[in-house]
Amino acid sequence: MPDELIRLEYTVPGDDFTRAGEASADMKQSLKKMGVPSAAVRRAAIALYEGEINLAIHAGGGQITVWVTPEQICMHLEDQGPGIENIELAMSEGWSTAPAEVRSLGFGAGMGLPNMKKYADEFAIESTVGVGTVIDMKVNVG
């Protein structure tokens, strides 16, 4: 991005819930230091946290890249997981494929994708079964 102020990159390990949330917490701190308005920081942190948890639960981990411009916080999540068979169904609140052991830890309530869309100003998802999933989210700064 030509007017990019900062670029952050994270690797999310799969099935490691002790580290889940590290990327979103680091991004949040970076945005605060940059003076990004708190409402935008909050929305971006929630959206990224939900994505980060999904990478850990469903995809065996993945990569996150965040670009911050004067206008937007752009978040790109990519994995080589199993992919999503039915995106429309996966976007339904409460629908989840999380295993019982994950749910027993308090994750997998089926709100990840709906919350990502809710808190982002722009949300796009592409998924191919057997290949993986790519999610792009943007939160407007102003």
Side-chain angles (χ1 to χ4, degrees):
M1 288 188 161
D3 57 353
E4 168 183 321
L5 296 176
I6 189 172
R7 178 184 176 125
L8 306 167
E9 296 185 2
Y10 306 99
T11 298
V12 178
D15 301 322
D16 184 353
F17 299 107
T18 62
R19 293 189 51 204
E22 287 180 359
S24 52
D26 182 77
M27 179 196 69
K28 182 178 179 180
Q29 290 302 94
S30 296
L31 295 173
K32 283 181 175 181
K33 286 179 186 173
M34 293 176 65
V36 173
S38 61
V41 171
R42 179 181 169 274
R43 292 175 57 234
I46 291 169
L48 190 61
Y49 177 79
E50 295 285 10
E52 195 175 352
I53 293 298
N54 277 2
L55 287 173
I57 292 173
H58 301 289
Q63 297 297 124
I64 296 173
T65 305
V66 179
W67 297 270
V68 182
T69 73
E71 298 82 26
Q72 291 184 314
I73 303 157
C74 307
M75 298 163 278
H76 178 84
L77 294 76
E78 191 165 342
D79 68 60
Q80 285 77 50
I84 302 169
E85 287 185 36
N86 185 331
I87 291 174
E88 186 177 337
L89 185 58
M91 293 297 299
S92 304
E93 291 185 10
W95 187 83
S96 179
T97 59
E101 59 270 17
V102 169
R103 288 176 188 237
S104 72
L105 297 172
F107 299 103
M111 293 304 295
L113 290 173
N115 278 339
M116 291 164 74
K117 184 174 181 179
K118 175 182 176 181
Y119 288 99
D121 291 300
E122 296 178 37
F123 176 86
I125 182 170
E126 292 182 23
S127 189
T128 304
V129 173
V131 176
T133 301
V134 175
I135 295 174
D136 285 295
M137 299 181 287
K138 294 180 181 177
V139 172
N140 296 331
V141 170

